[in-house]
Amino acid sequence: MSLTNKAVTTTGVRATLTPLQVPKASDVLADDMRERILRGEFPEGTSLPPERELVAQTAMSRTTVREALRILEVQGLVQIRTGRSGGAFVCRPGKESVANSVNLLIRGRHVLLADLLETREAIEPACAKLAAKHRTDEDLEILDRLNDDIANESGSLAEFLQANVDWHTAVAAASHNELLSGMMLALSHSIFDATNNQGFIDSTVRETTARAHRSITKAIRDRDQEAAVRRMTRHVHSYAKAVVEVEDRTEIELTEH
């Protein structure tokens, strides 16, 4: 906030000051430590000094130090462990951090299901393309196992839905792009919550899903990027169209993951 100064004159006008916004000490400390972690000054796994030493080193109160550490813990940059070998340990933000942030946005803004599906249509073909380019044998093993789970006719609805979510996040993971993986992790869980009902998922949907997933997996195995994009685009578009036709809700209630 700006300062307004008026010179004192013979007319009696006095200099006036406006209130200043002073950041909390804990925010300042958390900001400094965050930058050090992100710059790599404190590598992942580094044990931060004990609380009493942080108080002495920073010349800040114990309460300020604790609040700063809690801020970093919430942001996924510090892990607090209890016990004899406990303390505060530096973490690297990963796809879970992206997923948590996106999930908070989705839940906090009451994002429409249609918007979720549009976002998925925009990014999931890109995940499939990168998966076809970067996939490993381990990635393929995971996709094959999930395809078997999805095709299991004796599996419950919950098991089918979970395997379906896991397959889509596995494709994103096979892209080896952590930002895309985090986005898909949040989107898949949100769409799972929105479509978890027997009225939408029937035997025909399950068969169609299993067939589409195996086709996409084949393109990823063959490293055929164009086919992976084309098949994933067709799959997610068909799914979105079916959801819109069946679902009459305009908002979704999401649970916390």
Side-chain angles (χ1 to χ4, degrees), residues 5 10 18 30 48 50-51 53 67 70 74 76 80 82 100 105 140 143-144 152 159 181 189 198 216 226 237 239 242:
N5 295 309
T10 55
T18 56
L48 296 178
E51 187 178 282
E53 290 186 25
E67 289 181 356
R70 276 197 292 268
V74 169
I80 307 297
T82 58
N100 290 337
L105 172 65
L140 292 175
L143 290 172
D144 287 338
N152 182 11
E159 290 171 337
S181 295
H189 280 302
Q198 187 66 53
I216 296 166
E226 291 185 4
H237 179 72
Y239 182 88

Side-chain angles (χ1 to χ4, degrees), residues 35-43:
E35 288 304 310
R36 290 172 180 269
I37 292 171
L38 296 178
R39 287 199 303 264
E41 292 184 29
F42 302 150

Side-chain angles (χ1 to χ4, degrees), residues 89-107:
F89 297 84
V90 174
C91 302
R92 286 183 59 194
K95 63 182 180 181
E96 291 79 11
S97 299
V98 177
N100 290 337
S101 297
V102 174
N103 193 45
L104 284 175
L105 172 65
I106 292 171
R107 297 178 67 227

Side-chain angles (χ1 to χ4, degrees), residues 105-122:
L105 172 65
I106 292 171
R107 297 178 67 227
R109 300 298 298 178
H110 302 288
V111 173
L112 301 180
L113 177 56
D115 292 342
L116 284 177
L117 295 171
E118 286 177 352
T119 304
R120 183 185 179 190
E121 285 192 70

